[in-house]
Amino acid sequence: NIDALSSLSGTLNGGLAVVSNDVLTNIDAFNGITEIGHYVDINTNPLLEDIDGLSLVTAIDGMLTFAACPLVTNLDGLSNVTTIRTGIRIFNNATLNDITGLDGVTGRVEVVYIENNPSLTSISALSGLTTVLSLFLATNALTSLTGLEGLTTLGRLGTYINEPNLTSLNGLANAETSESDLTIFNCTSLTTLGLTSLRTVSGNLLIHQNPALPQCRVCELHTQLTTFTGTLTATGNLIDTCTETCL
């Protein structure tokens, strides 16, 4: 019970951490806070049912971390947030299936890290983002990358995609440049890349262990690039009329 904190209101000059509370079921005591001056860390709360207590928050001037809250199914409590200064980390949430509470966030973030949310099928709520310096998507249940169409540059801190249900990376079709390593690994259902605008990779290109992806699709992407400064790794894909040495 955190009812004693219900007097908090307006701008919170600092971070907000709700971590390792074994019996906490809600954070309604925070329903007067409108801005958070640093990070938000909601992590390891096994009985937390929702985050609706943050429904008045419009800005987070730091990193948002939401992790290991197995009963929370959505992030609707963040539906009024338009600015997250540093980044978004969402991981290890067993039943989280909806992040549309983030669909008001626009512009630039440094980090998008979404991992091991086995019920999460969509990141379309991220459609307002135009710049992401580090993109990490792994072992969720994503069926598409719809929501990333606003990214024309994949940032200097790297891009890593390991999503077993993806058949295409079409959500990144507008990406023209990768400023660092681009890794597409163990996407076991991937049959096409869909990176139709990509022309520059200033780092390594690692497209490997994607058993349904014809090797010729990798060859075509390599041919499509006009600037490539790194090393190509392209093993463990589906061998068709191309070979692993075609590059």
Side-chain angles (χ1 to χ4, degrees):
N1 186 307
I2 56 173
D3 291 348
L5 299 175
S6 61
S7 61
L8 294 172
S9 63
T11 300
L12 181 64
N13 294 317
L16 176 64
V18 183
V19 178
S20 297
N21 298 280
D22 291 340
V23 298
L24 186 68
T25 60
N26 68 75
I27 55 172
D28 293 349
F30 299 138
N31 62 10
I33 299 174
T34 57
E35 295 187 22
I36 298 173
H38 200 1
Y39 62 87
V40 172
D41 186 0
I42 302 174
N43 194 336
T44 316
N45 301 289
L47 298 184
L48 186 66
E49 298 173 356
D50 61 60
I51 57 171
D52 294 351
L54 300 178
S55 62
L56 293 185
V57 175
T58 60
I60 298 170
D61 197 15
M63 179 74 74
L64 168 67
T65 299
F66 183 78
C69 295
L71 301 185
V72 178
T73 61
N74 65 71
L75 301 183
D76 291 355
L78 300 173
S79 59
N80 283 317
V81 175
T82 58
T83 301
I84 297 177
R85 190 71 60 191
T86 304
I88 298 165
R89 300 195 310 154
I90 302 170
F91 56 94
N92 296 347
N93 300 288
T95 62
L96 183 69
N97 58 40
D98 183 357
I99 62 169
T100 54
L102 296 174
D103 63 4
V105 179
T106 60
R108 176 188 185 276
V109 296
E110 293 181 10
V111 174
V112 171
Y113 180 101
I114 303 176
E115 181 181 19
N116 194 32
N117 303 283
S119 300
L120 185 64
T121 61
S122 171
I123 54 171
S124 61
L126 303 181
S127 61
L129 298 181
T130 56
T131 302
V132 175
L133 300 187
S134 173
L135 176 64
F136 187 101
L137 303 172
T139 59
N140 304 292
L142 301 184
T143 57
S144 82
L145 296 184
T146 298
L148 300 180
E149 291 84 356
L151 303 182
T152 58
T153 298
L154 303 178
R156 58 183 172 80
L157 300 180
T159 299
Y160 180 93
I161 299 172
N162 171 6
E163 290 290 343
N165 294 336
L166 288 179
T167 59
S168 171
L169 307 180
N170 285 344
L172 292 173
N174 293 327
E176 301 171 358
T177 300
S178 175
E179 295 180 336
S180 184
D181 293 353
L182 171 58
T183 301
I184 303 162
F185 169 70
N186 201 31
C187 297
T188 53
S189 301
L190 194 68
T191 58
T192 185
L193 291 172
L195 300 172
T196 54
S197 298
L198 192 65
R199 295 295 182 272
T200 298
V201 176
S202 299
N204 298 315
L205 183 60
L206 303 100
I207 305 176
H208 61 127
Q209 306 305 318
N210 305 289
L213 179 68
Q215 187 72 4
C216 285
R217 303 292 84 79
V218 183
C219 295
E220 290 163 3
L221 176 63
H222 182 259
T223 301
Q224 169 184 308
L225 298 178
T226 56
T227 302
F228 178 39
T229 62
T231 300
L232 176 67
T233 299
T235 58
N237 302 311
L238 178 65
I239 300 303
D240 50 8
T241 57
C242 304
T243 70
E244 292 190 7
T245 59
C246 72
L247 307 174

